[in-house]
Amino acid sequence: MTDAHPLDAPADPFEVAQTAAADIARLSGVARHDIAVTLGSGWGKAAELIGETVATIPATEITGFSKPAVEGHVGTIRSVRTPGGRNVLVIGARTHLFEGHGVRRVVHSVRTAAATGAKIMVLTNGAGGVKPGWKPGQPVLISDHINLTGRSPLEGATFIDMTDLYAQRLRDIALEVDPSLDSGVYCQFPGPQYETPAEVRMAGILGGDLVGMSTSLEAIAARQAGMELLGFSLVTNLAAGISPTPLDHQEVIDAGRQAEAVISGLLAKVIERL
């Protein structure tokens, strides 16, 4: 028998997010944030480049957050002030669906970010590339997603439009920073196993360009919260059946480390313009 978690039913997940936002305000000394960014595998160094770190908080000190289960996620929440004077909430603690904690905990960081006042949500991840021409270490703008988890953070009869979910306005800003950026459709699988070659072929037939185990559920929650959304994938490896070699999580970590300086600098420049 495990101890009850603040997000377990019948708790209101939005009230828990408000409590978490109050924790962040108290522990950081920053009353409100303007932008939030979740740093996925390979994107961790961006926190250093976005601006001046005002506060770094272990995620476990904030209501509803857990220690990350995946290597490559730093396990902290930072409040960073950009050179332009805006406050950015940098989320280094991501809960994945495959951890078995439930969808509420997967999207709690996004709902908390909205409760801190953030109007823009930037989601980043490491992903397998389906397009043969893409190479490990390449950043890709997410133009849309396909949710293959069979789950949703929306509860009950909650009908929300998903048109332009990954806002064209924000993608245009990113392309002003780096016109060479390619775009693609992200497919979220439940994991934790990597996708089979047949599943990767299926994703491609459905219109997918990237495969991974995060982001789409968080994106839906961001839209529900009224946030404008920007998404980035780092191609950490070629997906199964595209890659000539078996997949390995260390390969994902290594590709992220090798690309870290370039993609983190890119992300920092984009955030400064949002």
Side-chain angles (χ1 to χ4, degrees), residues 19-271:
T19 301
D23 291 342
I24 291 171
R26 173 175 53 82
L27 293 168
S28 69
V30 179
R32 291 182 65 81
H33 288 82
D34 306 296
I35 299 169
V37 54
T38 295
L39 298 179
S41 298
W43 297 88
K45 281 272 198 254
E48 311 288 344
L49 302 176
I50 291 168
E52 176 192 356
T53 296
V54 176
T56 300
I57 308 163
T60 51
E61 293 186 14
I62 301 169
T63 301
F65 281 80
S66 308
K67 181 181 178 181
V70 179
E71 185 181 351
H73 296 264
V74 296
T76 60
I77 307 293
R78 289 198 201 193
S79 181
V80 177
R81 187 162 294 121
T82 70
R86 288 191 294 173
N87 296 316
V88 180
L89 188 70
V90 180
I91 301 164
R94 175 178 252 157
T95 298
H96 294 79
L97 185 63
F98 58 71
E99 294 174 42
H101 298 310
V103 177
R104 285 183 173 186
R105 285 171 70 173
V106 170
V107 303
H108 177 58
S109 60
V110 171
R111 287 174 170 161
T112 297
T116 69
K119 300 300 184 188
I120 294 175
M121 186 77 226
V122 182
L123 296 173
T124 69
N125 61 54
V130 177
K131 284 189 178 180
W134 285 350
K135 294 180 171 57
Q138 179 174 345
V140 177
L141 281 169
I142 300 175
S143 58
D144 206 343
H145 78 229
I146 300 172
N147 175 12
L148 296 175
T149 68
R151 308 291 296 277
S152 172
L154 308 181
E155 300 179 22
T158 306
F159 306 112
I160 293 177
D161 178 59
M162 293 288 122
T163 306
D164 194 34
L165 176 60
Y166 297 86
Q168 185 67 57
R169 184 186 80 84
L170 301 184
R171 283 185 278 144
D172 287 344
I173 292 171
L175 286 167
E176 289 172 6
V177 174
D178 183 354
S180 72
L181 281 169
D182 208 347
S183 298
V185 174
Y186 180 87
C187 293
Q188 181 178 352
F189 285 81
Q193 72 282 352
Y194 287 113
E195 305 76 23
T196 68
E199 288 169 337
V200 171
R201 289 197 301 274
M202 176 191 74
I205 291 167
L206 291 175
D209 303 300
L210 301 148
V211 292
M213 306 173 196
S214 68
T215 303
S216 73
L217 299 176
E218 296 161 316
I220 295 167
R223 170 55 61 90
Q224 182 184 24
M227 304 169 87
E228 201 173 13
L229 178 65
L230 178 65
F232 274 104
S233 285
L234 167 67
V235 178
T236 54
N237 56 277
L238 298 181
I242 309 295
S243 171
T245 58
L247 302 185
D248 180 271
H249 187 62
Q250 189 58 47
E251 177 187 4
V252 173
I253 298 297
D254 291 345
R257 284 177 180 154
Q258 290 168 16
E260 211 165 33
V262 172
I263 62 172
S264 296
L266 167 67
L267 185 59
K269 289 175 184 175
V270 171
I271 288 173

